[in-house]
Amino acid sequence: MELSYERTHEGRMHLHLGAFLAALMVACAFAFACMPATAEALTVSKATARPNEDGGSSVIGGINTRLTWEATVDEGEEVSSITLALPDDASFDDSSAKVTVLDGLTRIPTDATATANGNEITIDFASPVASGSLLRLEIEGMKFPTAGGDVAVSGTYTNDAGTQTLEDSPAITTIANTPLQSAISWLDNQAWVQAWNSVPFLSMFLRPQYVLTSFSSLFSGWLICLTITIACYPFAIILGLLFAFMKISKHKWVRAIAVVYINILRGTPLFLQIYILFFGLPMMNINVNNYLLGGIALAINSSAYLAEIFRAGIQSIPKGQYEAASSLGMTYSQTMLSIILPQTIRRVLPTVTSDFITAYKDTSLLSSVGVMELMMYSKNLTTVTGNMTPYMTAAIYYLIVTLPLIKVVSIVEKNLARSETGAGPRPKGGSVKDAAEQGAEDSLTMNAAHMEAKEPSAAVIDVLAGPFRSHPVKEGGADA
């Protein structure tokens, strides 16, 4: 009897639990049935913006651009209005909207009204857009947030079920509005800029907006040009001096090596030498960084010209200076380091500076083998803009370096000419005429004695600094 009672009690408990679970499921089903249905009537397929960067392909915040938004009306649904929304800093004010409805490839005439309110714009359709249609909105003159970033278009739409939330569009990448872009926008609104750009020749070769953009975009390429030239030129000077000494050597085979090296490099174009290095070495499984290889090519080419410059400068020193140094007991090395080379460097300094200018300009040839320097940056920017202004800006960058150096060469040449004609530094109380009558041998003796008293490095620095110092000229013992 006790076992039968327990089984009956357990069965009743199972029945009560089953009834409770059944009631719970019915309640949940009823609750879901009473919830309002959220009909998805639009499927967003596209959201893009037109680039508004002068000379570039980026979308900049805070500057007018065009937003293109597309969505498809689902089957069995209709849409009577759409509201597009962007982050708070964006703006649809003063914009215009173009509405296009397509049924397949057929354009359907549509009457719509656009109302902008800050960062939102609402499109009301006179007749609902039918199901299966492609809806395209092109909003001209809108602005993305000034801070930039990935921006998604959100909003709402209205159908038979009421107002529904619009799914976010694919993100549109924008960049922050910089002072440079603000300056370009200011130029766009200037009457004189518009008048300037109305002349086809001026607009094609020197468009003010592209000048600003190009100065910013080409700066890194300009730094690369300077770095390559400054880094490679000391090696070119060392090689040039080496081959200059080899060419004036007493040994025929040493002179022969120098003559072959110098004549081949001076007799072939630098363009060809660059191609041989950049395409020949990889064929031998020798891979070198492009920037390093470009510097090597420039250094080797310049060394051939510098060798001739130094050789001519050394041989221009009168033989009497060698003889005077020998009479003072100086060895050949001492004579060369303390007397001949300082005078040689003074004489060849203008020519060496001119060769440095040539080497700096020749970095443009590296663009032919893909080195990203000033000319390559200019070429890419010209391709993007379809305008020649980036090339003109590159020319300005070249002139920033070359014109001051040309002025320096002119000053050095004038001071050297004054020294050669006897208008250099004079002893206190002397006259130009008296100084000019001093013999070359006495001058050499004084210079040699002075250099012996000094360290060789100090003597070289004094000689090199001479052309850059102003020399007071005295007439009859009085300052001129």
Side-chain angles (χ1 to χ4, degrees):
M1 290 294 291
E2 292 179 0
L3 181 62
S4 176
Y5 174 77
E6 290 177 357
R7 289 178 177 176
T8 303
H9 180 70
E10 185 179 354
R12 289 176 179 175
M13 290 180 64
H14 286 178
L15 288 175
H16 287 304
L17 180 61
F20 175 75
L21 291 176
L24 182 63
M25 293 176 63
V26 170
C28 290
F30 180 76
F32 278 114
C34 293
M35 290 179 64
T38 57
E40 291 289 343
L42 278 177
T43 301
V44 179
S45 58
K46 177 182 178 182
T48 59
R50 180 181 60 191
N52 56 0
E53 179 185 20
D54 279 329
S57 57
S58 300
V59 180
I60 302 173
I63 298 178
N64 288 346
T65 186
R66 181 181 64 198
L67 170 66
T68 301
W69 181 90
E70 290 183 0
T72 303
V73 182
D74 295 341
E75 293 295 332
E77 301 288 349
E78 291 183 340
V79 174
S80 56
S81 70
I82 292 178
T83 298
L84 300 184
L86 288 172
D88 293 339
D89 194 23
S91 175
F92 287 104
D93 293 335
D94 300 324
S95 62
S96 59
K98 177 182 177 182
V99 181
T100 303
V101 178
L102 298 175
D103 184 6
L105 298 178
T106 304
R107 184 187 294 269
I108 300 175
T110 303
D111 186 12
T113 303
T115 304
N117 182 21
N119 64 327
E120 295 184 351
I121 185 169
T122 301
I123 311 296
D124 295 312
F125 301 100
S127 300
V129 180
S131 63
S133 300
L134 174 66
L135 176 61
R136 178 186 299 150
L137 303 180
E138 296 175 272
I139 304 172
E140 191 78 38
M142 57 82 58
K143 298 177 182 178
F144 282 98
T146 304
D150 293 334
V151 180
V153 181
S154 58
T156 60
Y157 62 92
T158 304
N159 61 1
D160 294 338
T163 301
Q164 311 295 333
T165 301
L166 190 67
E167 65 174 311
D168 289 347
S169 71
I172 301 173
T173 301
T174 64
I175 62 177
N177 193 347
T178 61
L180 174 63
Q181 295 300 329
S182 299
I184 293 173
S185 300
W186 178 81
L187 286 175
D188 289 337
N189 299 322
Q190 299 303 304
W192 68 269
V193 175
Q194 296 173 4
W196 177 281
N197 291 336
S198 65
V199 180
F201 179 84
L202 297 177
S203 177
M204 176 57 67
F205 288 91
L206 211 60
R207 190 180 184 91
Q209 295 93 325
Y210 289 170
V211 170
L212 288 181
T213 304
S214 299
F215 265 112
S216 175
S217 301
L218 301 182
F219 182 75
S220 56
W222 179 58
L223 290 182
I224 291 173
C225 284
L226 286 176
T227 302
I228 292 176
T229 308
I230 294 173
C232 80
Y233 211 73
F235 295 99
I237 292 175
I238 294 172
L239 278 176
L241 277 172
L242 174 62
F243 281 98
F245 285 122
M246 290 175 64
K247 192 167 183 180
I248 62 177
S249 173
K250 297 178 181 179
H251 303 286
K252 290 184 179 180
W253 64 271
V254 175
R255 293 200 303 271
I257 294 174
V259 168
V260 171
Y261 177 87
I262 293 171
N263 289 346
I264 289 178
L265 290 176
R266 294 181 68 195
T268 55
L270 174 58
F271 189 80
L272 176 61
Q273 297 165 21
I274 291 173
Y275 263 56
I276 291 174
L277 286 178
F278 273 81
F279 298 112
L281 292 182
M283 292 180 182
M284 299 174 61
N285 293 324
I286 301 175
N287 297 310
V288 183
N289 179 272
N290 282 352
Y291 295 105
L292 177 60
L293 195 56
I296 292 173
L298 291 175
I300 292 175
N301 180 266
S302 295
S303 68
Y305 292 91
L306 290 173
E308 281 296 279
I309 292 171
F310 291 138
R311 192 267 312 161
I314 292 171
Q315 292 182 340
S316 69
I317 306 300
K319 291 184 178 180
Q321 305 237 1
Y322 293 90
E323 296 171 354
S326 177
S327 67
L328 292 174
M330 300 179 68
T331 63
Y332 178 80
S333 299
Q334 290 175 332
T335 302
M336 189 61 66
L337 290 175
S338 299
I339 297 177
I340 304 303
L341 278 183
Q343 295 182 72
T344 299
I345 293 174
R346 286 188 62 187
R347 293 190 177 192
V348 303
L349 192 58
T351 312
V352 171
T353 307
S354 297
D355 185 75
F356 177 85
I357 294 172
T358 301
Y360 168 65
K361 293 186 296 182
D362 284 344
T363 55
S364 60
L365 296 177
L366 298 177
S367 63
S368 63
V369 289
V371 176
M372 290 302 297
E373 47 72 61
L374 183 56
M375 279 301 298
M376 180 60 83
Y377 276 89
S378 304
K379 180 180 178 181
N380 292 344
L381 196 55
T382 298
T383 302
V384 172
T385 60
N387 193 282
M388 295 299 293
T389 302
Y391 283 135
M392 302 301 292
T393 308
I396 296 174
Y397 266 123
Y398 283 115
L399 292 174
I400 288 174
V401 175
T402 58
L403 290 182
L405 286 178
I406 292 171
K407 182 64 176 178
V408 168
V409 170
S410 176
I411 294 173
V412 172
E413 286 179 340
K414 288 180 180 179
N415 286 338
L416 288 175
R418 290 178 60 197
S419 298
E420 293 293 334
T421 56
R426 296 289 173 260
K428 186 174 181 180
S431 65
V432 175
K433 183 177 179 181
D434 293 338
E437 291 175 353
Q438 292 178 353
E441 192 170 327
D442 295 337
S443 176
L444 175 60
T445 303
M446 292 176 62
N447 288 338
H450 181 67
M451 291 177 180
E452 270 191 321
K454 286 190 172 185
E455 292 293 331
S457 59
V460 173
I461 293 174
D462 284 346
V463 174
L464 292 179
F468 298 95
R469 293 197 296 261
S470 60
H471 308 310
V473 179
K474 297 185 177 182
E475 292 289 350
D479 291 344

